[in-house]
Amino acid sequence: MNSSVLLIEQKDGIFYLTINRPDALNALNKDVFDALEQFFKEKKEDFGVKGVIITGSGTKAFVAGADIKEFIHLDAVAGAALSKRGQDIFFMIENFHAPVVAAVNGFALGGGCELTMACHLRIAGEHARFGQPEVNLGLVPGYGGSQRLVQNIGKTRALKMLLTGDMITSAQALDWGLVNEVVPSGEEIVASEALLNKITTKGPLAIQKTISLVNDYFNKTVDGFESEYKDFGYTLGSEDAKEGAAAFIEKRKPSFKGK
Ligand code: CAA
């Protein structure tokens, strides 16, 4: 099941997934989503999987976001569909029966920060940076960020991150409860293994049920995720989003018009 964009290794029931697009700072494109979906679908009822560690290739980025170059040309309807598919795959991760740890070895921005939050636990290297910079592109988050950031760090801090697009350091992320632990750069995987090795000594049914119960806490009747994918499509279909992506690719400041 190894694809070149998602490297998969296994040792003693722990699966190691490495998102492998270092030239694009491991940005999430369709191929990465296909491979993540295939893995989590295939393992959905495989209780031989004791835990999963997700990381990014190289030392600079965990994941620098959704692949901006891939969605630049989409209209509102296609944008909403892209966002909904990403959300659905991240729900598979969030609801996975065994603990999934994000070993955050660099930038975790936009879809990357959202991926870390879909994981159950987060271990960050000292150099890791977290952010939801979608507003810089004239967009809202698309893979659950507007919902899970509030769940993790509270409304006040989440709104500041979401409205400014500013990045925070791993130390700040620890202080705000966005990550479980900060470790020296390069030790993210070892620390994630140590955490999983502790959890795998516990009762597997209790671990499964604990994950499911904690997820239940956030199960609301108003579906902010549904609003999010619709608003992602709406902002992606706007002139501002075209300008935001063009400015990113041309390496210049965007000139937004509010349209
Ligand atoms: N999509 C596509 N390509 C990306 C990318 C992304 N999200 N992030 C980085 N890259 C590419 C760059 O275009 C560049 O490619 P080229 O060499 O071909 O020009 C390469 O990766 C290296 O990036 P930089 O030269 O920009 O590296 P840097 O060190 O100067 O900056 C960075 C690093 C601050 C992370 C910067 O790359 C950046 O700001 N990236 C975009 C971050 C972002 O906006 N993420 C949110 C995306 S939108 C989203 O995720 C929506 C959603 O929720 C669904």
Side-chain angles (χ1 to χ4, degrees):
M1 194 169 48
N2 256 320
S3 74
S4 62
V5 294
L6 186 70
L7 309 178
I8 303 174
E9 289 172 75
Q10 196 259 124
K11 198 175 128 210
D12 301 330
I14 294 181
F15 281 75
Y16 300 76
L17 309 188
T18 304
I19 297 169
N20 184 36
R21 300 187 68 221
D23 292 347
L25 302 187
N26 303 319
L28 301 171
N29 67 358
K30 182 178 179 305
D31 292 344
V32 176
F33 271 118
D34 286 347
L36 282 172
E37 182 178 38
Q38 190 186 353
F39 176 85
F40 283 99
K41 249 188 194 159
E42 280 185 21
K43 304 294 180 194
K44 192 172 176 214
E45 298 198 351
D46 180 348
F47 299 104
V49 182
K50 306 276 181 241
V52 179
I53 297 173
I54 303 181
T55 196
S57 190
T59 54
K60 184 169 173 180
F62 171 74
V63 166
D67 191 318
I68 298 166
K69 292 165 190 169
E70 196 176 67
F71 65 58
I72 183 174
H73 301 297
L74 300 183
D75 64 12
V77 173
L82 174 102
S83 173
K84 177 79 170 66
R85 178 166 192 244
Q87 286 186 2
D88 287 345
I89 293 167
F90 283 10
F91 278 130
M92 289 172 72
I93 297 175
E94 185 169 60
N95 293 308
F96 195 62
H97 60 81
V100 183
V101 184
V104 190
N105 58 330
F107 289 114
L109 304 176
C113 188
E114 293 169 302
L115 175 57
T116 72
M117 292 188 289
C119 296
H120 304 117
L121 298 158
R122 288 163 283 288
I123 303 284
E126 277 169 352
H127 70 304
R129 295 286 178 275
F130 296 80
Q132 294 290 157
E134 286 86 350
V135 285
N136 295 333
L137 300 163
L139 292 172
V140 300
Y143 301 148
S146 64
Q147 305 301 295
R148 290 195 184 94
L149 196 63
V150 181
Q151 292 173 1
N152 279 288
I153 66 174
K155 185 175 175 183
T156 306
R157 289 161 173 164
L159 271 172
K160 186 174 177 211
M161 281 183 75
L162 291 162
L163 294 177
T164 62
D166 286 348
M167 291 185 220
I168 60 168
T169 62
S170 53
Q172 185 77 88
L174 182 66
D175 188 43
W176 285 1
L178 186 56
V179 299
N180 298 94
E181 214 177 311
V182 176
V183 297
S185 298
E187 293 181 17
E188 300 88 355
I189 299 282
V190 175
S192 302
E193 281 171 339
L195 185 56
L196 280 181
N197 285 335
K198 183 173 211 178
I199 296 170
T200 53
T201 64
K202 317 293 178 187
L205 279 183
I207 297 299
Q208 277 171 41
K209 290 294 180 194
T210 301
I211 290 171
S212 151
L213 284 169
V214 171
N215 286 339
D216 279 356
Y217 178 83
F218 296 103
N219 208 341
K220 305 171 290 184
T221 44
V222 177
D223 191 349
F225 285 99
E226 185 180 342
S227 311
E228 187 189 79
Y229 79 71
K230 289 179 177 162
D231 287 347
F232 182 84
Y234 171 74
T235 52
L236 187 65
S238 71
E239 285 178 31
D240 279 354
K242 303 283 172 283
E243 166 63 9
F248 172 76
I249 288 164
E250 291 158 22
K251 300 185 191 292
R252 62 172 171 81
K253 276 197 167 26
S255 166
F256 293 127
K257 297 199 168 59
K259 285 194 230 167

